[in-house]
Amino acid sequence: MPTSQDRSRVAVVRLREIAGPDLYRRNPFRVIGLATNAKPAQVRAQRHLLLGALELGSGTVPGDRRLALPRPPTAQEVRAAFDALERADHRLVDELFWWWGEPGACGCPAELHEVHDDAVEAHAKALDTETDEDLWVDAADAWMDALDHPRFWDHVRHRMKVLSDRRMDESTVSGLGQALPGALLVPQVALAGTRPRLAGLLDTWDVPAALVDDARRTAAAPTSRRIDELVEEVHTLLVDSANRAAADRVDELPALAELLEELAPHARYRWSARQRNRTAVMLNNCGLALKTTDLPRAVALMRRALAFVVEQSDRATIEDNLATTPTPRWDQQQPAHGQNPVLSPRWPSNLAVFAAFIAAVTAFLSGLLDAPTWLTVVAAVLFSWLPMRVITAGWYRSMGDVTTFVVGGLAFVGGWWAYRELPFAALAPFLWSCLAFTLVSPFVYALVADGRNHR
């Protein structure tokens, strides 16, 4: 005969089984369009009606009227929904996540059912859309209001008595009460891996801090494991003196560390701080390994390490390494793949920056002030250091390849539009300025880059 502990465990297992992004999409009552207080006879009649119609291909599932499913359920999903309602202890858990409707024999105050159903609606909509952050906040607030109601679990006890199953007793309700707050976080945790801002919204749930901490750690676990794997891989490459290969692999660590920071801030979680610091150490070690073969890249890696280091002792070590490392001259400056910095993988966005600068000068002088073309050309030359400052800035150099090509692509579209739509007379000052800028840009770049190196 099952003990109270067994009865509690079965309900909690069911709760954990259904907790996930499909918590409401697979809810049996939503799928088949029945109320949570539907009697067994109503469930059987609906099963016969819907499955019969689906098998004959002559009907569709009406679903829930208040909040329809994003897509019609399949015959298999409908069958699974009815099967879930066969077990009363499973049904009791499923009833928590759909409408309680108007109070009836339960004797609950109407406000309890209202706040519960508001919570279900807000949470279901958040999971259906997945993109509206306000809905996640609304869901957290609404569920906390529902769970704070003093009669919430009285309704669950009433439903347990109505379902009348020997596998349930007071321990079932107690077990659900302890497990439900954590289960409500699970769908958000599951989605946080691809939408890390949802991890930050876990703090809006007014649940014990330990639950939020556990949820954040679960959300961050795949990223943390990937950092472990990559650190080990880079370390092995360095031991094998495959320094360039190690530096290529370590380039992936900063993005992972930034993702981990969003999922679990290092200032709040010691384990996250450790992973962030390991990222810094690996960047520094790869930089040291390249000092004699690729000085610019070595310096860049060590400088980047300073952005991630957490431990003060490691920070001091990295700063000492940088202080004893010669600063590369401008003519040595090159990105990780050994290309000229102006014609690096950032060349699409470089051209966009140059074109935007010349367009701004032309629009201001020739357009607004009606200045002659020669003055626009002179201004483009005199102020040509401005775009060079941009493309040599650290924040700009940290842009990814995708961002670079998106920016360049947008600039190309805008340039093509201007070429097709504007008369040549309007374009002439721009084109002459482009020619002058092209002639002086290599020299200006050299001066700007060299100036940065001697700071």
Side-chain angles (χ1 to χ4, degrees):
M1 185 171 181
T3 65
S4 293
Q5 188 176 10
D6 293 332
R7 294 186 180 101
S8 172
R9 186 182 299 114
V10 169
V12 171
V13 168
R14 174 60 178 172
L15 182 59
R16 291 173 178 167
E17 178 184 301
I18 65 174
D22 291 329
L23 175 63
Y24 299 96
R25 283 192 285 267
R26 292 184 180 176
N27 184 278
F29 299 101
R30 187 182 190 185
V31 171
I32 63 180
L34 280 178
T36 54
N37 62 355
K39 296 180 179 179
Q42 292 175 283
V43 175
R44 289 192 295 271
Q46 187 81 334
R47 178 177 191 137
H48 178 75
L49 177 66
L50 291 183
L51 291 181
L54 287 172
E55 289 173 2
L56 294 173
S58 59
T60 58
V61 178
D64 187 82
R65 293 180 179 179
R66 178 172 173 178
L67 191 61
L69 285 163
R71 61 167 180 78
T74 64
Q76 183 179 0
E77 289 170 338
V78 172
R79 190 172 288 105
F82 281 114
D83 290 344
L85 298 182
E86 292 290 329
R87 284 194 53 164
D89 53 345
H90 285 191
R91 171 173 172 166
L92 182 68
V93 178
D94 291 321
E95 288 184 7
L96 289 171
F97 302 104
W98 208 240
W99 319 126
W100 286 357
E102 293 293 328
C106 63
C108 297
E111 67 180 36
L112 167 62
H113 286 216
E114 289 174 4
V115 295
H116 168 268
D117 291 356
D118 287 345
V120 166
E121 183 173 22
H123 207 190
K125 284 181 176 179
L127 283 165
D128 284 349
T129 61
E130 295 187 4
T131 55
D132 190 337
E133 292 181 0
D134 290 338
L135 286 176
W136 291 97
V137 177
D138 293 343
D141 291 342
W143 261 115
M144 293 301 97
D145 289 343
L147 292 178
D148 285 343
H149 198 287
R151 298 285 301 277
F152 184 93
W153 293 106
D154 289 342
H155 176 84
V156 179
R157 290 187 185 91
H158 167 76
R159 290 299 304 157
M160 181 180 67
K161 292 177 182 177
V162 171
L163 294 173
S164 185
D165 190 290
R166 61 184 178 82
R167 289 170 292 194
M168 298 188 292
D169 62 13
E170 182 60 28
S171 68
T172 304
V173 178
S174 176
L176 288 174
Q178 294 175 14
L180 183 55
L184 288 169
L185 305 184
V186 173
Q188 206 161 325
V189 169
L191 294 170
T194 54
R195 296 180 52 214
R197 277 191 56 80
L198 291 182
L201 293 175
L202 287 168
D203 290 335
T204 61
W205 292 86
D206 188 16
V207 298
L211 289 179
V212 175
D213 291 344
D214 288 344
R216 277 185 175 268
R217 183 148 200 166
T218 300
T223 303
S224 185
R225 281 196 301 271
R226 180 58 186 142
I227 290 175
D228 287 337
E229 294 166 358
L230 199 51
V231 165
E232 183 62 29
E233 182 183 349
V234 171
H235 175 73
T236 301
L237 289 169
L238 289 175
V239 169
D240 293 340
S241 298
N243 298 336
R244 285 197 174 277
D248 288 340
R249 301 299 292 133
V250 84
D251 280 340
E252 295 182 26
L253 272 177
L256 289 171
E258 293 292 6
L259 175 58
L260 184 64
E261 181 69 11
E262 198 164 1
L263 295 170
H266 77 275
R268 181 169 165 183
Y269 300 104
R270 179 60 188 163
W271 56 269
S272 179
R274 178 174 175 271
Q275 296 293 65
R276 190 173 183 85
N277 201 69
R278 293 176 77 201
T279 297
V281 170
M282 281 296 107
L283 288 166
N284 172 70
N285 291 351
C286 287
L288 288 175
L290 292 178
K291 279 180 69 171
T292 58
T293 58
D294 192 344
L295 185 57
R297 192 174 186 188
V299 171
L301 287 169
M302 286 188 279
R303 285 176 177 167
R304 200 167 192 190
L306 287 174
F308 294 94
V309 68
V310 177
E311 299 293 339
Q312 288 304 312
S313 58
D314 290 324
R315 177 177 294 278
T317 299
I318 297 170
E319 288 174 345
D320 287 344
N321 291 338
L322 273 169
T324 57
T325 300
T327 302
R329 303 187 310 272
W330 73 267
D331 57 338
Q332 293 176 307
Q333 296 283 350
Q334 51 186 332
H337 302 287
Q339 296 165 314
N340 183 278
V342 179
L343 295 178
S344 68
R346 288 183 292 275
W347 68 265
S349 58
N350 287 353
L351 292 179
V353 171
F354 298 155
F357 161 72
I358 297 171
V361 171
T362 303
F364 179 73
L365 292 176
S366 297
L368 293 179
L369 303 183
D370 198 24
T373 299
W374 68 265
L375 185 58
T376 301
V377 172
V378 171
V381 171
L382 290 177
F383 291 97
S384 57
W385 56 271
L386 284 172
M388 297 304 173
R389 291 290 296 272
V390 172
I391 69 168
T392 56
W395 64 266
Y396 180 84
R397 287 173 174 269
S398 66
M399 281 199 317
D401 291 348
V402 174
T403 304
T404 292
F405 278 94
V406 169
V407 171
L410 292 175
F412 176 81
V413 172
W416 182 253
W417 174 86
Y419 173 76
R420 294 291 302 272
E421 298 296 326
L422 298 178
F424 180 79
L427 290 174
F430 174 82
L431 296 176
W432 281 111
S433 298
C434 284
L435 178 59
F437 180 86
T438 302
L439 293 174
V440 302
S441 59
F443 307 101
V444 176
Y445 176 83
L447 291 172
V448 171
D450 195 51
R452 283 187 178 273
N453 290 339
H454 285 87
R455 290 181 178 179

